[in-house]
Amino acid sequence: MSEVLVEPVSTLRQRKQFFELPWAIYRDDPMWIPPLRGELKELLGFRKRHPFHEFATMQHFLAIRDGEPVGRITAIDNPKHFQRHREELGFFGFFESIDDDDVAHGLFDAARGWLKSRGLDWIRGPISPSLNYEVGLLIDGWHSPPTFMMTYNPRYYERLVESYGFTKCEDLMAFAAHTDIIAKLDKKIDVVIDYATREYDIKLRKLNTRRFKQDVAAFLEIYNQSLVGTWGFTPLSEGEMNNLVKGMKELIVPELTSFAEIDGEPVAGVFALLDYNPRIKEIDGRLFPFGFLKLLRHKQAIKKVRILSTNVLPKFQRWGLGLVVLSRLKNELLDWGIGDIELSWVLESNPLSFKTLKRGGAKVEKTYRIYDYGAPGEADSAEQ
């Protein structure tokens, strides 16, 4: 078999090959959803500069065999992770490969080599490019396509990653539920909601479209503060938050959002995002010239949502405010006609969320895995 050449991406032609490779990898896979092209180009640094690049550094690599691209990977040095967690590690993301150990292992070698040159011997992934974006390798749940903003990969990726010597670091789950469970909620939950609402004089409301920027910014600020103690989390920068505010304006349905306020200040929030993925597949990820119209037409026809995140300011997290802020969505979901709900993602190291979701009738639909290689104390059995 011909030799595999792994090259750092530096030319416009290489960028094009790197970007377009997934369309070849997933050509015959009906479950794959293409990315929104413009957004991905920005995140990769191939278009205008994404705010993530203001503090982190990426190096893309492309695997070539017989003149054709057969794999890709990005090595990521994110100093904010070290500042928060004191772990001297780098990341890999945006990984794609044909079913070939030589290709995948060559890509991992290249990513590790680049990170090692920056003093980082420990590598974690796939994280593309941080926990605030697409995370994890799908290891269970190929029977259905991913929901909006969730990742996907072929079954053989697990073997490619583990055969190199990567070991499990953390699993993340996507829970699925039908809106039927709303009528079956444990009455004890209603007691918690009623008590917390009266105790704190909580006011519930949806997103105010006249204050869209302020409300989304408030949600993202709650998101940053609420996840401070979460495994692997690094807060969104101000630039990233501003970028998200701009990007979400047309996608968010105000009725499918909920804020809890105490003394006029938001203390908890939740967004349920419509699953736009079937439409993204229809337009092949192209928003222009007419894809944007197709994506957003008649939103009422979309009957599946992803509950992205339920976040509560730390000082209120012990008092059931997560349930309170979710409670406002019950009737809205039913009135909209939502049938299916995905709650994702949930870390396996978060037993409280696991127990709450399972008690409510939700079931694990998909499992994603984050891997480590070269962690302190870890046997480096795959050293080349």
Side-chain angles (χ1 to χ4, degrees), residues 81-179:
H81 183 90
F82 174 76
Q83 292 166 12
R84 177 159 291 272
H85 300 282
R86 297 298 169 185
E87 294 176 328
E88 293 184 338
L89 63 82
F91 302 90
F92 79 87
F94 305 105
F95 170 75
E96 305 286 358
S97 175
I98 63 170
D99 189 1
D100 187 294
D101 286 4
D102 290 340
V103 172
H105 293 188
L107 289 166
F108 294 137
D109 280 344
R112 284 183 60 219
W114 183 84
L115 289 168
K116 191 167 187 175
S117 73
R118 302 174 72 87
L120 302 170
D121 293 323
W122 178 5
I123 183 171
R124 175 175 293 165
I127 293 176
S128 307
S130 80
L131 262 69
N132 297 311
Y133 300 90
E134 291 192 356
V135 179
L137 193 79
L138 181 68
I139 61 166
D140 185 52
W142 291 275
H143 58 282
S144 61
T147 55
F148 187 50
M149 297 172 64
M150 292 295 283
T151 190
Y152 178 81
N153 54 263
R155 293 173 184 263
Y156 65 81
Y157 276 23
E158 182 180 4
R159 192 199 75 249
L160 293 180
V161 171
E162 293 184 359
S163 65
Y164 185 79
F166 281 95
T167 57
K168 174 186 171 180
C169 174
E170 183 83 14
D171 279 356
L172 311 88
M173 279 67 174
F175 281 82
H178 192 274
T179 46

Side-chain angles (χ1 to χ4, degrees), residues 1-14:
M1 188 172 288
S2 303
E3 182 183 2
V4 177
L5 178 63
V6 178
E7 304 171 330
V9 172
S10 58
T11 68
L12 289 176
R13 181 171 183 268
Q14 287 173 324

Side-chain angles (χ1 to χ4, degrees), residues 157-216:
Y157 276 23
E158 182 180 4
R159 192 199 75 249
L160 293 180
V161 171
E162 293 184 359
S163 65
Y164 185 79
F166 281 95
T167 57
K168 174 186 171 180
C169 174
E170 183 83 14
D171 279 356
L172 311 88
M173 279 67 174
F175 281 82
H178 192 274
T179 46
D180 288 348
I181 70 168
I182 293 174
K184 302 174 184 176
L185 287 176
D186 192 326
K187 294 301 179 185
K188 293 179 182 177
I189 293 177
D190 289 335
V191 173
V192 172
I193 293 170
D194 183 61
Y195 173 79
T197 303
R198 287 186 290 103
E199 182 73 12
Y200 290 107
D201 190 24
I202 296 168
K203 308 299 181 187
L204 295 175
R205 66 172 177 87
K206 65 182 180 181
L207 179 144
N208 185 340
T209 54
R210 288 178 294 182
R211 291 175 44 85
F212 179 86
K213 289 183 179 180
Q214 295 93 321
D215 271 1
V216 176

